[in-house]
Amino acid sequence: MKITERLKDKRKIFSFEFYPPKTEKDTARLYSTIEDLQDLNPDFVSITNSSTGIVPHRTTGLSKALKEKTPFEIMVHLTCVSHTRKEIREIVSQLKEIGIDNILALRGDIPDEKEFKINSDYTYACELVEDLRTMGDFSIGVAAYPEKHPEAASLKEDILNLKKKVDAGADFAITQLFFDNKSYFNFMDKCAQMNVNIPIIPGIMPITNYKQLSKFTQMIGVAIPKELAENIEKYLDDKESLMQFGIDYAVNQSLQLLEYGAKGIHFYTLNRSKATKQILKTIMKHSEIKN
Ligand code: FAD
């Protein structure tokens, strides 16, 4: 069932994000993760895509494999910043052949021109959404940023740009990860004021490794609240306790989001199962996420 259909349902939905593995070892780990998470019966899983434009086959390949080997509803991330319209048409036609009904339409981060020859017909994701609407009957998602996209001058400007994606035909959005629920609630209020009325599913990433996390969050412009940073620092030399702390934090974050109206949760799994599995099992005990 397409994501748009699932979103009409009263119950909460949840989903997992995976990235295409590069090595045999990573591939084995991903399949073990998938096996471990399969029983949780997610509403959909999403497969990321590199913005360089040189390896779309990794994403289509994994999507095809999961379509054949698993019962998952699949959403494919499609970045346009390094593609011509002709290339996008070709990728979309492959996705149709595989039987993909859901696409997350993204611009992608602008790759370093020294490393990649960028030959693009696209400047913003809204242009891709508009094209996808003419290419098939897809359920189309887009990215949203509760703490604003790093290139945007203000949150208001970024929401106006989100609205352009909605006006172009986006059905729903998934947010960038965040650690302070206040930023999501504030964002949702502003979206409502600015007539952005599509479902906006919060994206949650369990904290498992602080060093990686602080580098990554700086890069994508996401704040780590002071109190959270202080708590994490207590567990720097204790991986197990950090993992448990991260799980508890994500459980509390998710429960509050669901209680205050979020339609569901999208988990950034980083191709690992342990934290996501524990978080979801705990959430399910607490709330009516599934019938
Ligand atoms: P856009 O919506 O085009 O926005 C980019 C910037 O331009 C923003 O600052 C926006 O305010 C501004 N803007 C947008 N439209 C206009 C307009 N019409 N006029 C003027 N300014 C405008 N990256 C990957 O490479 N691969 C992935 O698989 C991937 N998956 C993601 C999944 C999620 C859920 C999220 C939240 C992000 C993901 N990203 C991924 C990261 C994303 O590609 C980057 O954040 C990228 O820099 C912006 O992509 P976008 O689709 O949000 O771009």
Side-chain angles (χ1 to χ4, degrees):
M1 195 198 288
K2 276 186 191 172
I3 296 172
T4 30
E5 291 305 310
R6 285 174 196 238
L7 285 166
K8 286 180 194 157
D9 225 340
K10 272 202 183 121
R11 68 184 171 81
K12 309 285 187 186
I13 69 167
F14 65 92
S15 50
F16 304 143
E17 180 171 305
F18 302 126
Y19 62 86
K22 287 185 189 154
T23 63
E24 267 180 41
K25 193 174 155 215
D26 289 348
T27 306
R29 192 180 66 208
L30 173 63
Y31 279 102
S32 143
T33 293
I34 287 170
E35 208 182 315
D36 211 24
L37 293 177
Q38 200 154 315
D39 287 351
L40 292 167
N41 200 16
D43 288 280
F44 66 93
V45 302
S46 83
I47 317 290
T48 68
N49 185 4
S50 155
S51 66
T52 60
I54 54 175
V55 283
H57 57 276
R58 279 207 193 120
T59 300
T60 45
L62 179 60
S63 307
K64 184 169 188 285
L66 294 194
K67 189 86 190 159
E68 285 166 2
K69 292 181 191 162
T70 71
F72 295 151
E73 182 70 28
I74 291 166
M75 175 173 80
V76 173
H77 296 208
L78 181 58
T79 53
C80 60
V81 70
S82 305
H83 284 301
T84 59
R85 282 208 157 75
K86 183 169 174 277
E87 287 165 351
I88 289 289
R89 258 195 303 274
E90 281 162 10
I91 297 170
V92 169
S93 117
Q94 284 167 24
L95 296 179
K96 277 189 194 165
E97 253 170 57
I98 300 168
I100 299 297
D101 289 326
N102 313 287
I103 298 180
L104 189 71
L106 299 152
R107 183 198 69 180
D109 285 326
I110 298 165
D112 187 343
E113 287 194 45
K114 283 186 211 124
E115 280 179 64
F116 302 103
K117 194 170 164 283
I118 301 170
N119 181 17
S120 176
D121 284 337
Y122 296 91
T123 312
Y124 298 114
C126 57
E127 298 154 18
L128 177 62
V129 174
E130 207 174 309
D131 278 0
L132 288 174
R133 272 284 160 247
T134 67
M135 290 180 189
D137 185 20
F138 296 108
S139 207
I140 301 177
V142 290
Y145 303 84
E147 297 177 30
K148 90 171 182 65
H149 184 266
E151 290 165 33
S154 66
L155 185 60
K156 189 175 171 199
E157 181 190 293
D158 205 28
I159 296 175
L160 283 173
N161 290 327
L162 171 61
K163 190 163 185 337
K164 289 178 191 160
K165 298 193 267 194
V166 178
D167 293 344
D171 297 304
F172 64 95
I174 298 183
T175 76
Q176 183 59 281
L177 59 97
F178 56 91
F179 296 104
D180 185 350
N181 284 355
K182 276 191 249 130
S183 59
Y184 174 80
F185 296 133
N186 171 49
F187 177 71
M188 293 303 285
D189 285 347
K190 288 209 160 67
C191 283
Q193 284 159 18
M194 291 165 76
N195 286 323
V196 174
N197 294 318
I198 53 169
I200 301 179
I201 304 168
I204 293 293
M205 192 180 82
I207 300 162
T208 50
N209 179 325
Y210 187 40
K211 241 189 181 171
Q212 257 176 18
L213 179 79
S214 64
K215 251 197 207 160
F216 180 56
T217 46
Q218 262 176 26
M219 206 171 78
I220 59 172
V222 167
I224 303 181
K226 193 164 167 269
E227 204 186 324
L228 173 61
E230 283 167 5
N231 271 312
I232 298 172
E233 270 160 25
K234 286 187 208 155
Y235 306 115
L236 285 187
D237 301 320
D238 182 353
K239 270 188 178 173
E240 288 279 304
S241 302
L242 178 62
M243 168 81 94
Q244 194 52 52
F245 174 80
I247 289 169
D248 294 343
Y249 193 88
V251 165
N252 291 332
Q253 232 195 318
S254 305
L255 285 175
Q256 192 190 43
L257 289 164
L258 295 169
E259 190 186 340
Y260 285 92
K263 180 64 199 157
I265 305 283
H266 181 70
F267 290 100
Y268 292 104
T269 69
L270 302 181
N271 287 6
R272 313 221 174 210
S273 61
K274 190 176 166 190
T276 303
K277 192 174 177 178
Q278 276 198 42
I279 294 162
L280 200 47
K281 281 194 156 178
T282 315
I283 294 174
M284 283 171 141
K285 276 190 216 150
H286 282 264
S287 76
E288 290 182 3
I289 196 166
K290 281 254 161 188
N291 289 333

